[in-house]
């Protein structure tokens, strides 16, 4: 998909469903293009790939169903490589040839999650320009900004994501995790689609590409959680098997030491109480009610 203004300006890419069961981006891209028909682009170009992983989409799987590869860990790709690498190479070449100012790759998380924007690890001095620009744009998007990095191995892995590999090629890129629509069922929630659309439209407005559109976020986050990069954590994990009672909701602010979930056995005996390790914003909780040792139940954004 593409929309071009006669006036030159920024080049934007919107991409969706690189994970085949995360369909929110498809709706958000449709909404943006629908709105652009009523409120024309003032300058620049917007391109979109709404569905990057059609095989995963049809099979309701995150990866490429046939080969079980994660397309979002296959960039920048290889046109002689595996199936995922070939698809990745095609996408990557298409995007980079247009010399984008920013690429926004839209994902979903657990059903019980608020929208947030993820900034990849700093790609180093050679690609500083792209990283600084991505950071600036992340703040204009108005959602909580998360650095998901938890260890060095993960950092290496993220370099093969679409946004990570673009940054390593000095192209600004961000990953938007726009609320629920994930593994349990591919249902995208209307309020998350609205918030994702608003976030992108606000960035386009900042870039002078569109007229402002008055709307409020459905998920209101306190300012002190919006004006800095937050650290992602899913600690503490569960250490017991049992039935989970969640004590917090996505978007809630919790204090260090505050109970966030309890695990009971089938007879109702309390086995474990999980508490927040830091003052944090609850990004979301798992979509299941049965825990096991090591289960990641809650995602925290630590201030
Ligand atoms: Zn994803």
């Amino acid at each position: 998909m593409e929309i071009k203004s006669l006036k030159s300006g920024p080049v934007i890419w919107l991409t969706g469903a690189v994970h085949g069961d995360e369909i929110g981006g498809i709706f958000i891209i449709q909404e943006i293009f629908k709105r652009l028909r009523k409120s024309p682009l003032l300058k620049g170009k917007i391109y979109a790939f709404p569905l990057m992983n059609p095989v995963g989409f049809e099979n309701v799987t995150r990866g490429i169903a046939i080969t079980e590869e994660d397309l979002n860990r296959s960039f920048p790709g290889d046109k002689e490589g595996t199936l995922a690498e070939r698809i990745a190479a095609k996408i990557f070449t298409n995007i980079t040839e247009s010399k984008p100012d920013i690429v926004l790759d839209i994902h979903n998380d657990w059903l019980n999650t608020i929208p947030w924007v993820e900034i990849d690890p700093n790609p180093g001095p050679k690609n500083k320009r792209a990283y600084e620009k991505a950071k600036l744009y992340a703040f204009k998007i108005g959602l909580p900004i998360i650095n998901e990095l938890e260890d060095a191995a993960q950092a290496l892995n993220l370099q093969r994501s679409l946004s990570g590999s673009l940054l390593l090629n000095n192209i600004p890129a961000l990953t938007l995790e726009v609320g629920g629509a994930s593994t349990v069922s591919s249902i995208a929630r209307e309020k998350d689609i609205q918030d994702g659309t608003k976030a992108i439209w606000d960035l386009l407005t900042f870039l002078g590409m569109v007229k402002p559109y008055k709307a409020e976020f459905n998920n209101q986050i306190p300012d002190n959680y919006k004006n800095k990069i937050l650290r992602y954590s899913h600690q503490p994990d569960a250490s017991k098997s049992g039935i989970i009672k969640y004590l917090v909701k996505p978007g809630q602010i919790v204090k260090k030491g505050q109970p966030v979930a309890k695990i009971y056995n089938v007879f109702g005996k309390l086995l474990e109480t999980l508490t927040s390790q830091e003052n944090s914003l609850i990004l979301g909780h798992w979509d299941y009610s049965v825990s096991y040792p090591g289960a990641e139940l809650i995602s925290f954004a630590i201030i």
Side-chain angles (χ1 to χ4, degrees):
M1 296 165 82
E2 59 178 57
I3 290 193
K4 296 176 181 173
S5 165
L6 293 174
K7 200 171 162 203
S8 66
V11 175
I12 311 294
W13 267 92
L14 307 175
T15 56
V18 68
H19 290 140
D21 59 350
E22 300 175 14
I23 58 166
I26 300 175
F27 290 109
I28 290 169
I29 290 168
Q30 287 173 2
E31 284 301 313
I32 295 281
F33 276 74
K34 219 188 283 171
R35 203 180 283 176
L36 282 167
R37 285 196 280 274
K38 288 188 203 143
S39 173
L41 197 59
L42 303 174
K43 62 178 179 183
K45 297 172 193 163
I46 300 178
Y47 297 102
F49 277 145
L51 173 55
M52 291 189 283
N53 178 3
V55 181
F57 175 76
E58 286 192 3
N59 288 280
V60 199
T61 56
R62 173 185 170 91
I64 294 178
I66 314 162
T67 59
E68 295 185 354
E69 293 168 281
D70 187 338
L71 182 56
N72 206 33
R73 298 291 181 274
S74 306
F75 288 96
D78 175 356
K79 59 181 194 310
E80 305 293 328
T82 65
L83 179 58
E85 286 169 344
R86 286 172 196 229
I87 298 171
K90 195 113 186 109
I91 293 168
F92 196 80
T93 312
N94 256 284
I95 292 176
T96 49
E97 274 175 354
S98 67
K99 299 194 172 24
D101 291 88
I102 180 81
V103 179
L104 302 173
D105 186 28
I106 310 167
H107 289 244
N108 294 106
D109 206 300
W110 294 326
L111 280 173
N112 292 289
T113 317
I114 57 165
W116 42 280
V117 54
E118 181 187 326
I119 183 147
D120 280 279
N122 191 331
K126 230 181 86 201
N127 300 299
K128 187 169 185 273
R129 189 197 66 88
Y131 181 71
E132 291 302 325
K133 227 169 159 187
K135 214 160 72 174
L136 167 72
Y137 294 162
F139 281 104
K140 297 298 169 192
I141 276 175
L143 298 172
I145 306 168
I146 312 293
N147 180 348
E148 204 173 342
L149 183 63
E150 287 194 281
D151 57 51
Q154 202 189 1
L156 215 59
N157 208 4
L158 284 176
Q159 290 181 354
R160 301 207 68 201
S161 70
L162 176 57
S163 55
S165 61
L166 285 166
L167 276 177
L168 284 172
N169 282 271
N170 216 13
I171 294 173
L174 291 165
T175 299
L176 268 65
E177 293 282 353
V178 188
S182 194
T183 45
V184 179
S185 62
S186 280
I187 299 167
R189 280 186 315 201
E190 188 57 35
K191 68 185 178 84
D192 294 334
I193 294 165
Q194 288 168 356
D195 281 2
T197 306
K198 172 178 164 53
I200 293 170
W201 197 267
D202 285 356
L203 177 60
L204 297 177
T205 307
F206 166 74
L207 292 168
M209 297 174 73
V210 294
K211 285 194 189 137
Y213 185 90
K214 271 246 162 300
E216 295 295 325
F217 281 118
N218 289 300
N219 292 291
Q220 294 284 340
I221 304 299
D223 283 344
N224 60 333
Y225 277 86
K226 273 200 299 204
N227 56 21
K228 63 180 291 198
I229 296 178
L230 308 168
R231 185 164 56 83
Y232 180 90
S233 173
H234 57 74
Q235 298 295 337
D237 295 339
S239 71
K240 304 282 185 203
S241 299
I243 308 293
I244 311 159
K245 183 173 165 50
Y246 295 103
L247 304 174
V248 288
K249 286 198 167 66
Q252 190 176 331
I253 304 292
V254 293
K255 288 212 173 330
K256 183 177 177 175
Q258 185 172 333
V260 290
K262 290 184 184 235
I263 299 171
Y264 297 88
N265 74 7
V266 287
F267 306 108
K269 186 182 169 216
L270 178 64
L271 301 177
E272 183 176 21
T273 301
L274 300 179
T275 58
S276 175
Q277 294 187 338
E278 306 281 348
N279 292 339
S280 6
L281 163 70
I282 302 291
L283 291 174
H285 65 69
W286 203 26
D287 296 324
Y288 297 88
S289 300
V290 179
S291 84
Y292 57 86
E296 298 175 6
L297 302 188
I298 294 179
S299 52
F300 299 89
I302 299 168
I303 197 161

